[in-house]
Amino acid sequence: MNRRTLLGALAGTAVAVPVLSSCSSGITSLDGGGSTDSGDASSKNGVTIGTANFTENQVLGYLYAAALQAAGVKVKVRPNLGTREIVFPALKSGDIDLLPEYQGALLTYLDPKSKVSEQGEMQNALTIALPAGLQVLPYGMAADSDAFAVTRATAEKYGLTSLADLKKQNGRLTIGAAPEVKTRQAGVAGLKDVYGVEFKEFKSLDSDGPLVKGALKKGDVDVANLFTTDTDIKANDWVVLTDPLNLIPSQHIVPLIADRVADSTVRKALARLGNLLTTAQLTELNRQVDKDKKDPEDVANAYAKQHGLTKA
């Protein structure tokens, strides 16, 4: 999951919405919720959806596409564009119109000093932090978070159950992750700041992909940065280290969209999907792509058809 680099001074802020308390289904409603349409918002010329370079984000992008197409919106999906450091500027510049995002990761990217962790408060903070022309729509039920995992053997050898335990092994362990995790607050930088953890080595691999998971299996790394919806964690009996100091924020899925296309049709369609998709369902869709080697678009379209998101 592609996280957390400060953009620098972000000009312009949107009007804050009231802080809402979280609930099991998030701040969503079938009328689209959130801010009202801007006067010239229109999706009549279509919506271009971008995704980051990992399985789940691609699946979400195609789910967004299916939901919008069912509402009569023309869509184009540009999958696997890269990290947030690439896709966010693409959204600002107008190359794409819509991104599947993650509340906490996006907020940390925009405001690394933010200490907000509750879903409703994060929604409000995002509204304030986003540059002019962009907004977040209501977040959905499904969530996915960063996780730091070790093998069962490593956990037992070093007595690791939480991120705090890693400090006892300072200078001894190697961590594997995507390159950007080295400097992110919910990564190596934050582990040092919050937990006092220092690693022997950082190995630059991929984002919850075959490189980092293969390295963890073979013992080339001791700690791997994965995602909580990754079915390989359970399949391999890997141990996810707990986070007692709440370094890693909540990560409900949230649409990040340009004002120019955020009309009521788009809002309603994405809110309907957000109220439907659960974390367990998203995990299963990831499994179908990663394990069954199915195409992300086919998996998303099958889900949309099964759950009544598409037209008969």
Side-chain angles (χ1 to χ4, degrees):
M1 209 172 294
N2 308 300
R3 310 275 198 260
R4 304 153 175 107
T5 298
L6 180 61
L7 282 174
L10 294 171
T13 57
V15 177
V17 296
V19 175
L20 301 175
S21 60
S22 63
C23 60
S24 61
S25 61
I27 307 174
T28 56
S29 66
L30 290 178
D31 64 2
S35 304
T36 57
D37 294 349
S38 59
D40 56 355
S42 174
S43 60
K44 66 179 181 179
N45 292 324
V47 174
T48 299
I49 303 166
T51 84
N53 56 342
F54 57 97
T55 293
E56 179 177 283
N57 210 251
Q58 293 177 51
V59 170
L60 287 166
Y62 285 116
L63 284 172
Y64 283 9
L68 293 177
Q69 286 174 325
V73 178
K74 293 183 296 184
V75 299
K76 177 181 179 181
V77 180
R78 297 182 61 189
N80 203 34
L81 293 177
T83 66
R84 180 173 291 107
E85 289 79 2
I86 294 172
V87 292
F88 191 95
L91 182 63
K92 286 183 64 182
S93 68
D95 291 335
I96 56 178
D97 304 308
L98 172 64
L99 284 171
E101 263 293 1
Y102 303 82
Q103 276 189 318
L106 179 59
L107 181 57
T108 304
Y109 177 75
L110 295 168
D111 182 7
K113 296 181 179 180
S114 175
K115 303 299 182 182
V116 175
S117 60
E118 189 271 328
Q119 298 97 306
E121 292 177 346
M122 278 195 289
Q123 197 78 353
N124 191 60
L126 281 169
T127 302
I128 296 170
L130 282 167
L134 302 182
Q135 60 182 283
V136 284
L137 300 185
Y139 67 86
M141 290 192 294
D144 184 9
S145 297
D146 280 295
F148 292 93
V150 299
T151 64
R152 181 69 59 182
T154 297
E156 293 175 353
K157 178 180 179 179
Y158 294 110
L160 304 176
T161 61
S162 78
L163 295 177
D165 294 329
L166 292 172
K167 184 177 179 180
K168 305 172 189 175
Q169 307 302 328
N170 273 358
R172 297 189 183 95
L173 303 180
T174 297
I175 183 171
E180 59 270 17
V181 173
K182 187 174 184 178
T183 57
R184 287 176 173 173
Q185 183 60 22
V188 173
L191 286 169
K192 183 176 181 179
D193 292 344
V194 175
Y195 287 102
V197 175
E198 296 182 1
F199 291 100
K200 175 183 178 182
E201 183 182 358
F202 177 91
K203 288 195 174 183
S204 180
L205 300 170
D206 55 10
S207 184
D208 193 52
L211 295 181
V212 69
K213 287 187 280 189
L216 185 61
K217 285 182 180 179
K218 291 187 293 184
D220 293 339
V221 301
D222 303 297
V223 183
N225 177 221
L226 305 177
F227 304 151
T228 55
T229 57
D230 190 333
T231 55
D232 278 334
I233 293 174
K234 182 177 180 181
N236 289 283
D237 193 32
W238 290 333
V239 177
V240 173
L241 302 178
T242 62
D243 181 19
L245 298 180
N246 298 313
L247 170 66
I248 302 170
S250 175
Q251 303 288 3
H252 280 266
I253 310 301
V254 62
L256 174 62
I257 192 168
D259 291 348
R260 58 186 174 270
V261 297
D263 59 21
S264 60
T265 301
V266 170
R267 292 171 178 279
K268 289 177 182 178
L270 295 178
R272 184 181 179 198
L273 174 63
N275 277 327
L276 176 65
L277 182 67
T278 67
T279 300
Q281 290 170 347
L282 183 57
T283 302
E284 169 57 20
L285 298 182
N286 292 342
R287 187 199 64 77
Q288 291 179 33
V289 176
D290 290 335
K291 296 302 180 185
D292 297 344
K293 305 305 179 183
K294 295 183 179 180
D295 183 80
E297 184 175 8
D298 293 340
V299 167
N301 288 339
Y303 175 90
K305 182 177 180 180
Q306 178 184 359
H307 293 274
L309 283 174
T310 58
K311 295 178 179 179

